[in-house]
mmCIF file with all atom_site columns, all heavy atoms in Angstrom:
data_model
loop_
_atom_site.group_PDB
_atom_site.id
_atom_site.type_symbol
_atom_site.label_atom_id
_atom_site.label_alt_id
_atom_site.label_comp_id
_atom_site.label_asym_id
_atom_site.label_entity_id
_atom_site.label_seq_id
_atom_site.pdbx_PDB_ins_code
_atom_site.Cartn_x
_atom_site.Cartn_y
_atom_site.Cartn_z
_atom_site.occupancy
_atom_site.B_iso_or_equiv
_atom_site.pdbx_formal_charge
_atom_site.auth_seq_id
_atom_site.auth_comp_id
_atom_site.auth_asym_id
_atom_site.auth_atom_id
_atom_site.pdbx_PDB_model_num
ATOM 1   N N   . THR N 1 3  ? -83.881 -45.688 13.858  1.00 0.00 ? 839 THR N N   1
ATOM 2   C CA  . THR N 1 3  ? -83.612 -44.737 12.810  1.00 0.00 ? 839 THR N CA  1
ATOM 3   C C   . THR N 1 3  ? -84.354 -44.934 11.559  1.00 0.00 ? 839 THR N C   1
ATOM 4   O O   . THR N 1 3  ? -84.498 -46.081 11.115  1.00 0.00 ? 839 THR N O   1
ATOM 5   C CB  . THR N 1 3  ? -82.058 -44.840 12.397  1.00 0.00 ? 839 THR N CB  1
ATOM 6   O OG1 . THR N 1 3  ? -81.255 -44.659 13.600  1.00 0.00 ? 839 THR N OG1 1
ATOM 7   C CG2 . THR N 1 3  ? -81.679 -43.825 11.337  1.00 0.00 ? 839 THR N CG2 1
ATOM 8   N N   . HIS N 1 4  ? -85.045 -43.856 11.175  1.00 0.00 ? 840 HIS N N   1
ATOM 9   C CA  . HIS N 1 4  ? -85.914 -43.908 9.960   1.00 0.00 ? 840 HIS N CA  1
ATOM 10  C C   . HIS N 1 4  ? -85.195 -43.358 8.751   1.00 0.00 ? 840 HIS N C   1
ATOM 11  O O   . HIS N 1 4  ? -84.571 -42.376 8.930   1.00 0.00 ? 840 HIS N O   1
ATOM 12  C CB  . HIS N 1 4  ? -87.223 -43.229 10.217  1.00 0.00 ? 840 HIS N CB  1
ATOM 13  C CG  . HIS N 1 4  ? -87.994 -43.681 11.362  1.00 0.00 ? 840 HIS N CG  1
ATOM 14  N ND1 . HIS N 1 4  ? -88.877 -44.738 11.327  1.00 0.00 ? 840 HIS N ND1 1
ATOM 15  C CD2 . HIS N 1 4  ? -88.015 -43.295 12.641  1.00 0.00 ? 840 HIS N CD2 1
ATOM 16  C CE1 . HIS N 1 4  ? -89.410 -44.949 12.490  1.00 0.00 ? 840 HIS N CE1 1
ATOM 17  N NE2 . HIS N 1 4  ? -88.941 -44.111 13.318  1.00 0.00 ? 840 HIS N NE2 1
ATOM 18  N N   . HIS N 1 5  ? -85.352 -44.020 7.627   1.00 0.00 ? 841 HIS N N   1
ATOM 19  C CA  . HIS N 1 5  ? -84.708 -43.515 6.398   1.00 0.00 ? 841 HIS N CA  1
ATOM 20  C C   . HIS N 1 5  ? -85.817 -43.228 5.381   1.00 0.00 ? 841 HIS N C   1
ATOM 21  O O   . HIS N 1 5  ? -86.698 -44.017 5.262   1.00 0.00 ? 841 HIS N O   1
ATOM 22  C CB  . HIS N 1 5  ? -83.776 -44.573 5.871   1.00 0.00 ? 841 HIS N CB  1
ATOM 23  C CG  . HIS N 1 5  ? -82.628 -44.896 6.874   1.00 0.00 ? 841 HIS N CG  1
ATOM 24  N ND1 . HIS N 1 5  ? -81.454 -44.188 6.950   1.00 0.00 ? 841 HIS N ND1 1
ATOM 25  C CD2 . HIS N 1 5  ? -82.576 -45.884 7.814   1.00 0.00 ? 841 HIS N CD2 1
ATOM 26  C CE1 . HIS N 1 5  ? -80.720 -44.713 7.930   1.00 0.00 ? 841 HIS N CE1 1
ATOM 27  N NE2 . HIS N 1 5  ? -81.405 -45.680 8.525   1.00 0.00 ? 841 HIS N NE2 1
ATOM 28  N N   . TYR N 1 6  ? -85.603 -42.098 4.677   1.00 0.00 ? 842 TYR N N   1
ATOM 29  C CA  . TYR N 1 6  ? -86.577 -41.686 3.636   1.00 0.00 ? 842 TYR N CA  1
ATOM 30  C C   . TYR N 1 6  ? -85.909 -41.504 2.345   1.00 0.00 ? 842 TYR N C   1
ATOM 31  O O   . TYR N 1 6  ? -84.940 -40.751 2.215   1.00 0.00 ? 842 TYR N O   1
ATOM 32  C CB  . TYR N 1 6  ? -87.254 -40.363 4.136   1.00 0.00 ? 842 TYR N CB  1
ATOM 33  C CG  . TYR N 1 6  ? -87.887 -40.534 5.450   1.00 0.00 ? 842 TYR N CG  1
ATOM 34  C CD1 . TYR N 1 6  ? -87.239 -40.167 6.620   1.00 0.00 ? 842 TYR N CD1 1
ATOM 35  C CD2 . TYR N 1 6  ? -89.189 -41.112 5.535   1.00 0.00 ? 842 TYR N CD2 1
ATOM 36  C CE1 . TYR N 1 6  ? -87.842 -40.364 7.848   1.00 0.00 ? 842 TYR N CE1 1
ATOM 37  C CE2 . TYR N 1 6  ? -89.730 -41.267 6.764   1.00 0.00 ? 842 TYR N CE2 1
ATOM 38  C CZ  . TYR N 1 6  ? -89.135 -40.871 7.940   1.00 0.00 ? 842 TYR N CZ  1
ATOM 39  O OH  . TYR N 1 6  ? -89.732 -41.058 9.184   1.00 0.00 ? 842 TYR N OH  1
ATOM 40  N N   . ARG N 1 7  ? -86.238 -42.378 1.440   1.00 0.00 ? 843 ARG N N   1
ATOM 41  C CA  . ARG N 1 7  ? -85.576 -42.378 0.102   1.00 0.00 ? 843 ARG N CA  1
ATOM 42  C C   . ARG N 1 7  ? -86.409 -41.647 -0.908  1.00 0.00 ? 843 ARG N C   1
ATOM 43  O O   . ARG N 1 7  ? -87.670 -41.858 -1.062  1.00 0.00 ? 843 ARG N O   1
ATOM 44  C CB  . ARG N 1 7  ? -85.293 -43.794 -0.311  1.00 0.00 ? 843 ARG N CB  1
ATOM 45  C CG  . ARG N 1 7  ? -84.501 -43.899 -1.548  1.00 0.00 ? 843 ARG N CG  1
ATOM 46  C CD  . ARG N 1 7  ? -84.169 -45.453 -1.865  1.00 0.00 ? 843 ARG N CD  1
ATOM 47  N NE  . ARG N 1 7  ? -83.428 -45.548 -3.060  1.00 0.00 ? 843 ARG N NE  1
ATOM 48  C CZ  . ARG N 1 7  ? -83.883 -45.615 -4.226  1.00 0.00 ? 843 ARG N CZ  1
ATOM 49  N NH1 . ARG N 1 7  ? -85.228 -45.546 -4.537  1.00 0.00 ? 843 ARG N NH1 1
ATOM 50  N NH2 . ARG N 1 7  ? -83.085 -45.746 -5.356  1.00 0.00 ? 843 ARG N NH2 1
ATOM 51  N N   . THR N 1 8  ? -85.793 -40.817 -1.665  1.00 0.00 ? 844 THR N N   1
ATOM 52  C CA  . THR N 1 8  ? -86.418 -40.093 -2.810  1.00 0.00 ? 844 THR N CA  1
ATOM 53  C C   . THR N 1 8  ? -85.396 -40.214 -4.010  1.00 0.00 ? 844 THR N C   1
ATOM 54  O O   . THR N 1 8  ? -84.188 -40.443 -3.739  1.00 0.00 ? 844 THR N O   1
ATOM 55  C CB  . THR N 1 8  ? -86.829 -38.656 -2.568  1.00 0.00 ? 844 THR N CB  1
ATOM 56  O OG1 . THR N 1 8  ? -85.594 -38.039 -2.250  1.00 0.00 ? 844 THR N OG1 1
ATOM 57  C CG2 . THR N 1 8  ? -87.702 -38.542 -1.365  1.00 0.00 ? 844 THR N CG2 1
ATOM 58  N N   . GLU N 1 9  ? -85.911 -39.948 -5.142  1.00 0.00 ? 845 GLU N N   1
ATOM 59  C CA  . GLU N 1 9  ? -84.983 -39.811 -6.367  1.00 0.00 ? 845 GLU N CA  1
ATOM 60  C C   . GLU N 1 9  ? -85.298 -38.560 -7.072  1.00 0.00 ? 845 GLU N C   1
ATOM 61  O O   . GLU N 1 9  ? -86.478 -38.083 -7.149  1.00 0.00 ? 845 GLU N O   1
ATOM 62  C CB  . GLU N 1 9  ? -85.226 -41.003 -7.303  1.00 0.00 ? 845 GLU N CB  1
ATOM 63  C CG  . GLU N 1 9  ? -84.937 -42.328 -6.670  1.00 0.00 ? 845 GLU N CG  1
ATOM 64  C CD  . GLU N 1 9  ? -85.197 -43.456 -7.610  1.00 0.00 ? 845 GLU N CD  1
ATOM 65  O OE1 . GLU N 1 9  ? -85.170 -43.305 -8.907  1.00 0.00 ? 845 GLU N OE1 1
ATOM 66  O OE2 . GLU N 1 9  ? -85.561 -44.574 -7.139  1.00 0.00 ? 845 GLU N OE2 1
ATOM 67  N N   . ILE N 1 10 ? -84.252 -37.898 -7.616  1.00 0.00 ? 846 ILE N N   1
ATOM 68  C CA  . ILE N 1 10 ? -84.441 -36.730 -8.472  1.00 0.00 ? 846 ILE N CA  1
ATOM 69  C C   . ILE N 1 10 ? -83.796 -37.070 -9.795  1.00 0.00 ? 846 ILE N C   1
ATOM 70  O O   . ILE N 1 10 ? -82.641 -37.623 -9.731  1.00 0.00 ? 846 ILE N O   1
ATOM 71  C CB  . ILE N 1 10 ? -83.831 -35.476 -7.814  1.00 0.00 ? 846 ILE N CB  1
ATOM 72  C CG1 . ILE N 1 10 ? -84.423 -35.158 -6.479  1.00 0.00 ? 846 ILE N CG1 1
ATOM 73  C CG2 . ILE N 1 10 ? -83.721 -34.347 -8.808  1.00 0.00 ? 846 ILE N CG2 1
ATOM 74  C CD1 . ILE N 1 10 ? -85.771 -34.509 -6.640  1.00 0.00 ? 846 ILE N CD1 1
ATOM 75  N N   . THR N 1 11 ? -84.405 -36.734 -10.871 1.00 0.00 ? 847 THR N N   1
ATOM 76  C CA  . THR N 1 11 ? -83.785 -36.860 -12.176 1.00 0.00 ? 847 THR N CA  1
ATOM 77  C C   . THR N 1 11 ? -83.910 -35.585 -12.972 1.00 0.00 ? 847 THR N C   1
ATOM 78  O O   . THR N 1 11 ? -84.871 -34.848 -12.832 1.00 0.00 ? 847 THR N O   1
ATOM 79  C CB  . THR N 1 11 ? -84.413 -38.090 -13.051 1.00 0.00 ? 847 THR N CB  1
ATOM 80  O OG1 . THR N 1 11 ? -85.720 -37.866 -13.131 1.00 0.00 ? 847 THR N OG1 1
ATOM 81  C CG2 . THR N 1 11 ? -84.207 -39.427 -12.242 1.00 0.00 ? 847 THR N CG2 1
ATOM 82  N N   . TRP N 1 12 ? -82.889 -35.370 -13.797 1.00 0.00 ? 848 TRP N N   1
ATOM 83  C CA  . TRP N 1 12 ? -82.847 -34.171 -14.622 1.00 0.00 ? 848 TRP N CA  1
ATOM 84  C C   . TRP N 1 12 ? -82.036 -34.563 -15.907 1.00 0.00 ? 848 TRP N C   1
ATOM 85  O O   . TRP N 1 12 ? -81.081 -35.167 -15.739 1.00 0.00 ? 848 TRP N O   1
ATOM 86  C CB  . TRP N 1 12 ? -82.302 -32.968 -13.932 1.00 0.00 ? 848 TRP N CB  1
ATOM 87  C CG  . TRP N 1 12 ? -82.102 -31.816 -14.747 1.00 0.00 ? 848 TRP N CG  1
ATOM 88  C CD1 . TRP N 1 12 ? -83.033 -30.749 -15.068 1.00 0.00 ? 848 TRP N CD1 1
ATOM 89  C CD2 . TRP N 1 12 ? -80.888 -31.430 -15.489 1.00 0.00 ? 848 TRP N CD2 1
ATOM 90  N NE1 . TRP N 1 12 ? -82.510 -29.840 -15.847 1.00 0.00 ? 848 TRP N NE1 1
ATOM 91  C CE2 . TRP N 1 12 ? -81.187 -30.183 -16.132 1.00 0.00 ? 848 TRP N CE2 1
ATOM 92  C CE3 . TRP N 1 12 ? -79.594 -31.902 -15.624 1.00 0.00 ? 848 TRP N CE3 1
ATOM 93  C CZ2 . TRP N 1 12 ? -80.243 -29.522 -16.977 1.00 0.00 ? 848 TRP N CZ2 1
ATOM 94  C CZ3 . TRP N 1 12 ? -78.724 -31.284 -16.501 1.00 0.00 ? 848 TRP N CZ3 1
ATOM 95  C CH2 . TRP N 1 12 ? -78.999 -30.082 -17.114 1.00 0.00 ? 848 TRP N CH2 1
ATOM 96  N N   . THR N 1 13 ? -82.505 -34.103 -17.020 1.00 0.00 ? 849 THR N N   1
ATOM 97  C CA  . THR N 1 13 ? -81.684 -34.218 -18.246 1.00 0.00 ? 849 THR N CA  1
ATOM 98  C C   . THR N 1 13 ? -81.697 -32.861 -18.936 1.00 0.00 ? 849 THR N C   1
ATOM 99  O O   . THR N 1 13 ? -82.639 -32.038 -18.792 1.00 0.00 ? 849 THR N O   1
ATOM 100 C CB  . THR N 1 13 ? -82.257 -35.243 -19.141 1.00 0.00 ? 849 THR N CB  1
ATOM 101 O OG1 . THR N 1 13 ? -83.522 -34.946 -19.523 1.00 0.00 ? 849 THR N OG1 1
ATOM 102 C CG2 . THR N 1 13 ? -82.114 -36.667 -18.556 1.00 0.00 ? 849 THR N CG2 1
ATOM 103 N N   . GLY N 1 14 ? -80.639 -32.511 -19.578 1.00 0.00 ? 850 GLY N N   1
ATOM 104 C CA  . GLY N 1 14 ? -80.627 -31.305 -20.284 1.00 0.00 ? 850 GLY N CA  1
ATOM 105 C C   . GLY N 1 14 ? -79.173 -30.967 -20.646 1.00 0.00 ? 850 GLY N C   1
ATOM 106 O O   . GLY N 1 14 ? -78.282 -31.775 -20.662 1.00 0.00 ? 850 GLY N O   1
#
Side-chain angles (χ1 to χ4, degrees):
T839 302
H840 301 274
H841 300 274
Y842 303 94
R843 184 175 183 275
T844 64
E845 296 177 32
I846 296 288
T847 59
W848 174 86
T849 57

